[in-house]
C-alpha cells in the first residue's frame, strides 16, 4: 500500500498542473479577447454618452463622431463645439497616431487635421464682464506684482505632447478678419501659411475685387520668429525676432518694417470712416516706411513691467516734396525738412527701461505748412517722458517752436515766433489730488503785425492746465494770460504800449459723452486793459483801466465790456470822460448778436441806455435807446473850455430822447425813428444873443426815398440880441439825404412878440442847394413908443402902432432886406421930441430948427417907412410922415421926410451893453 502513494500524488500533481495550465491559457485567451473588443466598446461609449457628460460638466455644447479607435490611432469624422462667448469650433477628418509606450508616457506621434474652422464671437454682456474682469485682474496684478515664469525656449518646440501636428485647412472668421491658413508644427519649426482678408464685410460690399493678403509666420528651433504679409507679389510688412536665453535671462531682438505706401493703397479694404480718413487726407499716402527695432531683456522669473529691460527705436519716414494736407483744404500743403535743408523728413521714437525707470523720447523734423496767404514753419522738436517702474506715474516734457506768417490781399502781415513748453503727468491710480492725466502748457509767442498804416511788435504768454479723470470730463484751467503790444506810429499817431492781463483764471470742462454741448465754462475769461494814450499833434485820446469778461459757451457765448474814456482832446475840442458798459450775447446757431450798451458821459451827467440786435448772416439789425433827462451845461459835463471854443455858454438845460434805428447792411439802408427833447435851455451865444427858457422837440424818420425827415418844434421865453423877442414858436419839417450833403426846410409856423407887437412868418421854403432863398416876415401892431425907447438917450416920446412886411433874402454872404415897408395903423400917433439936444440943433441950423420945432408935438395920421438892410449890418430907414403940430403954424398939415442910417449890428451891441443883457441872464442862473 505504501508503495502506491507517491505514484498517486504524482498523478494528482500532473493533473493539477495540467488544470492550472488550462486555466491560465483560458485567462490569456479571455484577456486577448477583452483587449481586442475594448476599443470598440470605448468607441461606442464615447460616441453615445460622453458628449452629454462633457456638456453637463463644462457647460460647453460639444458633439463628435469617432470613426476609428485602435490601439495605435484615433480617427474622427467631425468634432464641433460652441464656447460660452459664442465662439464655435468645427473639425473634420482628424487622425491621431500613437504607440502604446508613447501613450503611457504622454507623448503622441502625429496629429493630422484636414479642416478646422473657428468662428470667433462674443455677446455684449459677456464682453462687458470680461472687460471688467480683465481690468480688475490687471489692477490686482499691478498691486501684487505677480511673478511670471518663462519656459525654457530650447524645449518649447521639443516638448510638445504631439511630435508632429499638421492642419491642412485652418479657417478663422471674425467680423474684422477672415483667415484661410495651413499649419505645421514639429520640434524644428512651427509654421502658418495662408491668406488673410481684413474687414471682410467691406471687401464683400466693394465693387472691386480685393485679393487676400498672404501670411507667412514661422517659429524656428534656434529662437527665430519670422513673419511677413504681402499682397500678391508686393511686400506690405515683415517682422523678425531673435530669441536668446541662458540659465538666468531671456533676450529678444525685434525688427519691424511697414511699407506705408503699399498699405495706404489698401485703404479701400477699411471701414467707411477710416477709408474716408485716407481719401480726405492725401498726406497719409506720402508716408514711406515705419521701421522699428527693439531689444527686450528679462530674467526668466520676473515681474511685469518693472523687471522688463527695453531699448527700442521707431522711425517714420515721409517722402520728399510738398504734399496736400486735406481734400477740404486743397491749397494747404505740408513738407518735412531736416536741419540741413535736405527734403527728407523722419520722426523717431525711442524707449528705454533700465533699472527703476522708463525713458522715452519722440523727435520730429522741421515741418513747413503752406497756404496761399499763410505759412507755418515748425522747428525740429523732441519730447521726453519718464515713468516709474510700475508705469503708475509718468511725466513728459516738450518745447516745440514754430514760425507763423500770414498775409492777406491788403498786404496785412503777421509774423510771429511761438514756443509752447508742455508738461504732462500721468497717474494710473487716480485720486482727487492726483488725477489720471494732467497737462501743463506754457505758451510764449512773440511777433510783429504789419498792415496798412499799422506796425506793432507783440508778445503773448499764457498757462493752460488740462486734467483728465477716469470717470469725469476733461477739466481746463487757463490763467496768467498776458498780451503786450508796442505799436509804431500810425499816421503820425503816437500810441502807448498796450497791455492786456487776465484778471482771473478760466475754469471749463469738456465732456466727450455729451455730444450736444461738450464744452462748459464754469468761470468767465476776464481781461484787464491798461490805460492807453494816443497822440497826434493837437489830438490826445486817453482811455482808463477797462475790463472785458466772457463766458465761453460754444452755443451761446456772452461777454461783458467795461470801457473807460478819460478826458481827452481833439484839436481844440475837449472830449468828456465816458464810461461804456455792455453785455453782449451771441447765438451761434442763428448768428444773432444782442447787446445792451449803457453810456455815461461828462461826469455821469448824460446817460444813454440802449438795446442792440444784429443778424450777422443777413446784415439786418436794430438799435433802441433811451436818453435819460441829462444836463447839457458845459461846466457840469466837465467841458469848461467849450464857451470859448463855440461862443455858446449854456447856463441851464436838459436833454432827453428815445427811439430806434433799423439797418440793412446788404441794402445799405438805415432807417431811424428818433425823438429828442430839450427843456429849460438858457444860453448865451457869442456874447451877442441870449436865450432863456427854451424848449425843442424833434422827431427824425426816413421816407420812401431813404431821405431823413425831421419834424421839429422849438419855442422859447425870450431871445435877446439887444432887442428882446418873447414868446417865440416855430414849427418846421426838414429833409436830409443819407450823406447829409444838402438840406431843405419847410417852416409851417414861426411867430414871436417884439416891441409890444407880433412878428410872424406865414411860410418858408428853404433849399440849401439854391444860391438864393427868400421869404417874407409880417409885422403887426409894433408899438412905436417901444421902438423909441430902445435908445433912452434920444429922449424921444412917441405912440402909435406899426404894421408891415419885410422880404428876407438869404445868400452865402448873409441875410438882407432889399425893400421892406412899415405903415402906421389908423388913427396914427404922436411924436414929441423936445430936449436940450433939439434946442441945440435949432440954434445951429435954421433949416433944422423948423423940423425940430415941428417934432416938439407932431400928430401924424400916416406914417410910411421903407426898410433896407445889407448883410454887413447897414440899415436904412426912409420915414414919410403926414400930420401936423397944433402948436406950429396953427396946425397946418405937414409932410415930413426923414432918412436914417444905422449899422444894426453896432446898434444891437450898444443896446446889449446898455441893458446889461448878458450879465443879467448869467446872474439869473448862478
Amino acid at each position: 500500500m505504501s508503495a502506491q502513494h507517491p505514484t498517486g500524488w504524482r498523478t494528482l500533481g500532473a493533473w493539477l498542473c495540467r488544470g492550472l495550465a488550462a486555466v491560465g491559457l483560458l485567462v490569456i485567451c479571455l484577456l486577448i479577447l477583452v483587449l481586442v473588443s475594448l476599443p470598440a466598446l470605448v468607441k461606442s461609449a464615447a460616441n453615445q454618452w460622453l458628449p452629454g457628460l462633457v456638456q453637463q460638466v463644462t457647460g460647453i455644447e460639444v458633439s463628435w463622431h469617432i470613426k476609428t479607435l485602435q490601439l495605435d490611432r484615433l480617427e474622427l469624422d467631425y468634432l464641433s463645439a460652441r464656447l460660452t462667448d459664442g465662439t464655435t469650433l468645427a473639425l473634420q477628418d482628424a487622425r491621431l497616431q500613437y504607440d502604446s509606450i508613447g501613450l503611457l508616457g504622454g507623448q503622441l506621434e502625429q496629429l493630422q487635421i484636414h479642416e478646422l474652422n473657428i468662428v470667433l464671437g462674443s455677446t455684449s454682456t459677456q464682453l462687458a464682464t470680461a472687460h471688467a474682469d480683465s481690468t480688475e485682474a490687471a489692477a490686482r496684478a499691478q498691486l501684487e506684482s505677480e511673478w511670471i515664469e518663462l519656459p525654457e525656449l530650447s524645449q518649447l518646440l521639443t516638448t510638445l505632447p504631439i511630435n508632429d501636428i499638421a492642419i491642412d485647412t485652418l479657417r478663422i472668421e471674425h467680423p474684422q478678419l477672415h483667415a484661410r491658413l495651413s499649419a505645421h508644427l514639429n520640434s524644428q519649426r512651427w509654421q502658418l501659411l495662408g491668406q488673410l482678408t481684413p474687414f471682410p464685410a467691406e471687401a464683400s460690399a466693394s465693387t472691386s475685387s480685393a485679393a487676400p493678403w498672404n501670411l507667412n509666420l514661422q517659429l524656428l528651433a534656434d529662437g527665430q520668429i519670422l513673419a511677413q504679409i504681402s499682397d500678391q507679389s508686393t511686400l506690405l510688412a515683415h517682422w523678425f525676432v531673435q530669441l536668446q536665453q541662458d540659465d538666468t535671462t531671456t533676450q529678444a531682438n525685434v525688427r519691424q518694417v511697414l511699407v506705408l505706401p503699399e498699405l495706404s493703397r489698401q485703404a479701400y479694404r477699411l471701414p467707411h470712416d477710416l477709408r474716408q480718413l485716407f481719401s480726405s487726407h492725401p498726406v497719409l499716402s506720402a508716408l514711406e516706411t515705419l521701421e522699428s527695432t527693439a531689444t527686450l531683456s528679462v530674467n526668466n522669473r520676473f515681474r511685469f513691467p518693472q523687471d522688463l529691460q527695453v531699448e527700442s527705436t521707431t522711425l517714420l519716414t515721409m517722402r520728399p516734396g510738398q504734399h496736400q494736407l486735406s481734400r477740404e483744404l486743397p491749397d494747404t500743403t505740408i513738407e518735412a525738412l531736416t536741419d540741413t535743408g535736405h527734403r527728407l523728413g523722419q520722426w523717431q521714437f525711442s524707449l528705454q527701461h533700465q533699472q527703476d525707470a522708463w525713458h522715452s523720447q519722440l523727435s520730429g523734423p522741421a515741418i513747413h505748412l503752406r497756404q496761399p496767404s499763410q505759412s507755418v514753419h515748425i522747428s525740429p522738436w523732441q519730447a521726453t517722458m519718464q515713468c516709474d517702474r510700475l508705469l503708475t506715474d509718468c511725466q513728459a516734457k516738450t518745447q516745440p517752436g514754430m514760425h507763423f506768417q500770414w498775409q492777406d490781399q491788403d498786404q496785412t502781415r503777421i509774423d510771429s515766433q511761438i514756443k509752447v513748453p508742455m508738461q504732462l503727468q500721468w497717474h494710473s491710480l487716480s485720486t482727487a489730488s492726483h488725477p489720471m492725466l494732467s497737462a501743463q502748457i506754457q505758451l510764449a509767442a512773440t511777433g510783429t503785425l504789419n498792415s496798412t498804416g499799422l506796425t506793432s511788435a507783440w508778445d503773448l504768454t499764457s498757462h493752460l492746465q488740462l486734467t483728465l479723470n477716469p470717470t469725469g470730463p476733461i477739466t481746463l484751467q487757463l490763467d496768467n494770460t498776458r498780451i503786450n503790444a508796442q505799436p509804431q506810429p500810425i499816421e503820425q499817431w503816437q500810441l502807448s504800449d498796450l497791455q492786456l492781463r487776465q484778471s482771473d483764471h478760466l475754469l471749463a470742462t469738456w465732456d466727450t459723452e455729451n455730444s450736444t454741448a461738450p464744452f462748459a465754462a464754469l468761470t468767465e475769461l476776464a481781461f484787464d486793459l491798461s490805460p492807453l494814450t494816443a497822440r497826434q499833434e493837437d489830438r490826445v485820446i486817453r482811455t482808463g483801466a477797462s475790463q472785458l469778461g466772457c463766458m465761453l459757451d460754444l452755443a451761446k457765448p456772452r461777454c461783458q465790456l467795461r470801457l473807460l474814456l478819460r478826458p481827452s482832446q481833439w484839436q481844440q475840442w475837449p472830449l468828456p470822460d465816458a464810461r461804456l458798459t455792455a453785455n453782449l450775447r451771441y447765438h451761434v446757431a442763428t448768428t444773432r448778436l444782442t447787446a445792451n450798451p449803457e453810456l455815461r458821459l461828462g461826469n455821469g451827467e448824460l446817460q444813454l441806455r440802449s438795446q442792440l440786435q444784429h443778424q450777422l448772416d443777413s446784415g439786418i439789425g436794430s438799435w433802441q435807446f433811451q436818453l435819460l433827462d441829462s444836463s447839457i451845461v458845459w461846466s457840469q459835463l466837465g467841458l469848461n473850455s467849450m464857451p470859448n471854443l463855440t461862443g455858446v455858454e449854456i447856463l441851464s438845460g436838459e436833454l432827453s430822447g428815445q427811439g430806434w434805428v433799423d439797418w440793412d447792411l446788404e441794402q445799405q439802408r438805415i432807417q431811424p425813428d428818433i425823438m429828442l427833447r430839450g427843456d429849460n435851455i438858457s444860453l448865451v451865444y457869442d456874447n451877442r444873443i441870449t436865450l432863456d427858457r427854451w424848449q425843442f422837440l424833434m422827431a427824425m424818420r426816413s421816407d420812401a426815398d431813404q431821405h431823413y425827415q425831421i419834424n421839429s418844434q422849438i419855442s422859447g421865453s425870450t431871445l435877446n440880441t439887444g432887442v428882446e423877442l418873447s414868446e417865440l414858436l416855430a414849427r418846421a419839417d426838414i429833409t436830409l439825404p443819407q450823406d447829409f450833403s444838402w438840406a431843405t426846410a419847410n417852416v409851417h409856423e414861426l411867430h414871436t412878440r417884439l416891441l409890444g407887437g407880433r412878428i410872424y412868418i406865414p411860410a418858408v421854403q428853404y433849399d440849401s442847394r439854391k444860391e438864393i432863398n427868400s421869404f417874407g416876415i409880417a409885422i403887426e401892431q409894433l408899438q412905436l413908443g417901444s421902438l423909441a425907447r430902445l435908445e433912452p438917450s434920444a429922449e424921444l416920446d412917441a405912440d402909435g402902432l406899426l404894421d408891415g412886411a419885410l422880404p428876407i433874402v438869404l445868400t452865402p454872404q448873409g441875410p438882407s432886406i432889399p425893400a421892406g415897408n412899415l405903415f402906421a395903423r389908423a388913427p396914427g400917433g404922436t411924436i414929441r421930441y423936445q430936449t436940450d439936444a433939439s434946442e441945440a440943433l435949432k440954434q445951429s441950423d435954421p433949416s433944422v430948427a423948423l423940423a425940430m420945432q415941428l417934432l416938439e408935438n407932431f400928430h401924424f395920421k400916416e406914417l410910411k417907412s421903407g426898410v433896407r438892410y445889407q448883410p454887413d449890418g447897414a440899415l436904412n430907414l426912409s420915414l414919410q410922415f403926414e400930420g401936423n403940430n397944433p402948436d406950429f403954424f396953427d396946425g397946418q398939415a405937414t409932410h415930413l421926410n426923414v432918412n436914417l442910417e444905422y449899422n444894426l449890428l453896432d446898434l444891437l451891441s450898444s443896446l446889449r451893453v446898455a441893458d446889461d443883457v448878458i450879465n443879467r441872464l448869467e446872474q439869473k442862473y448862478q
Side-chain angles (χ1 to χ4, degrees), residues 733-735 737 741-747 764-775 810-812:
D733 294 334
I734 301 172
T735 301
S741 59
W742 52 268
T744 63
N746 183 9
V747 181
V764 175
Q765 299 290 336
Y766 173 81
D767 191 338
S768 66
R769 294 168 292 186
K770 297 180 179 180
E771 289 291 329
I772 299 176
N773 289 272
S774 61
F775 57 91
L810 301 177
T811 65

Side-chain angles (χ1 to χ4, degrees), residues 136 231 295 357 380 669 722 777 887:
E136 182 182 358
D231 180 17
T295 299
R669 183 175 67 247
I777 296 179
D887 303 326

Side-chain angles (χ1 to χ4, degrees), residues 69-82:
L69 178 60
Q70 300 293 336
L71 297 177
D72 60 348
R73 69 183 185 277
L74 170 66
E75 295 179 0
L76 291 175
D77 282 333
Y78 67 88
L79 183 149
S80 63
R82 182 178 184 84

Side-chain angles (χ1 to χ4, degrees), residues 393-468:
D393 290 281
C394 298
Q395 293 184 349
K397 296 181 180 179
T398 184
Q399 187 172 337
M402 65 182 67
H403 181 198
F404 174 78
Q405 290 182 332
W406 179 84
Q407 184 172 340
D408 65 4
Q409 296 178 352
D410 299 328
Q411 303 303 312
T412 299
R413 180 183 177 90
I414 298 176
D415 196 328
S416 61
Q417 299 285 344
I418 303 174
K419 292 184 178 180
V420 191
M422 291 186 289
Q423 293 185 359
L424 286 81
Q425 293 183 341
W426 163 269
H427 303 280
S428 62
L429 301 178
S430 177
T431 63
S433 59
H434 293 83
M436 176 176 287
L437 177 63
S438 176
Q440 305 283 340
I441 302 175
Q442 189 71 38
L443 174 64
T446 61
T448 59
L449 169 65
N450 295 289
S451 65
T452 304
L454 174 61
T455 300
S456 176
W458 58 271
D459 63 86
L460 180 149
T461 59
S462 185
H463 177 260
L464 175 65
Q465 178 174 335
L466 303 176
T467 304
L468 174 63

Side-chain angles (χ1 to χ4, degrees), residues 510-556:
W510 185 280
D511 190 353
T512 56
E513 296 182 358
N514 188 344
S515 58
T516 57
F519 181 83
L522 305 181
T523 60
E524 69 174 12
L525 178 61
F527 288 95
D528 292 333
L529 177 63
S530 63
L532 180 66
T533 301
R535 298 179 181 271
Q536 186 199 53
E537 296 180 352
D538 52 358
R539 299 179 178 91
V540 180
I541 305 295
R542 301 183 181 90
T543 65
S546 305
Q547 296 83 36
L548 174 66
C550 295
M551 289 297 291
L552 303 181
D553 189 327
L554 296 183
K556 298 178 181 179

Side-chain angles (χ1 to χ4, degrees), residues 471-690:
T471 58
I474 301 174
T475 303
L476 303 90
Q477 181 172 322
L478 180 71
D479 50 25
N480 295 331
T481 302
R482 298 180 175 224
I483 303 174
N484 300 314
Q486 300 83 37
Q488 298 298 314
I490 306 174
E491 296 182 355
Q492 300 182 353
W493 280 93
Q494 300 289 337
L495 302 177
S496 63
D497 292 350
L498 174 66
Q499 296 180 348
L500 201 63
R501 299 288 184 270
Q502 185 179 353
S503 58
D504 199 359
H505 67 268
L506 168 69
L507 187 63
T509 60
W510 185 280
D511 190 353
T512 56
E513 296 182 358
N514 188 344
S515 58
T516 57
F519 181 83
L522 305 181
T523 60
E524 69 174 12
L525 178 61
F527 288 95
D528 292 333
L529 177 63
S530 63
L532 180 66
T533 301
R535 298 179 181 271
Q536 186 199 53
E537 296 180 352
D538 52 358
R539 299 179 178 91
V540 180
I541 305 295
R542 301 183 181 90
T543 65
S546 305
Q547 296 83 36
L548 174 66
C550 295
M551 289 297 291
L552 303 181
D553 189 327
L554 296 183
K556 298 178 181 179
R558 58 188 186 274
C559 295
Q560 186 175 34
L561 173 66
R562 297 182 181 88
L563 182 62
L564 174 63
L565 177 68
R566 295 182 295 167
S568 303
Q569 195 79 19
W570 189 267
Q571 295 179 343
Q572 73 272 25
W573 303 104
L575 300 178
D577 68 290
R579 292 179 181 271
L580 174 65
T581 60
N583 292 318
L584 300 96
R585 295 176 179 270
Y586 180 64
H587 195 285
V588 176
T590 61
T591 69
R592 180 179 177 84
L593 175 67
T594 60
N596 60 340
E598 182 173 338
L599 181 65
R600 293 175 176 264
L601 292 173
N603 300 321
E605 290 291 334
L606 195 150
Q607 301 181 38
L608 180 71
R609 299 186 302 188
S610 63
Q611 290 284 341
L612 181 145
Q613 305 89 29
H614 182 71
Q615 203 71 36
L616 269 67
D617 55 354
S618 64
I620 297 175
S622 63
W623 176 53
Q624 299 87 33
F625 73 91
Q626 180 186 17
L627 179 63
L628 305 181
D629 290 339
S630 305
S631 172
I632 57 174
V633 178
W634 298 132
S635 59
Q636 295 180 8
L637 294 174
L639 303 175
N640 296 322
S641 61
M642 287 297 288
N644 295 330
L645 296 172
T646 63
V648 178
E649 182 181 0
I650 301 178
L651 303 174
S652 70
E654 293 180 347
L655 182 67
S656 61
Q658 63 183 12
W660 62 86
V661 179
D662 297 329
W663 60 79
D664 188 336
L665 299 182
E666 184 176 347
Q667 300 293 330
Q668 296 183 349
R669 183 175 67 247
I670 300 177
Q671 294 180 304
D673 194 343
I674 299 172
M675 294 188 66
L676 293 177
R677 174 172 179 155
D679 294 294
N680 299 320
I681 300 174
S682 298
L683 58 84
V684 177
Y685 174 68
D686 199 23
N687 284 325
R688 293 185 298 171
I689 301 176
T690 65

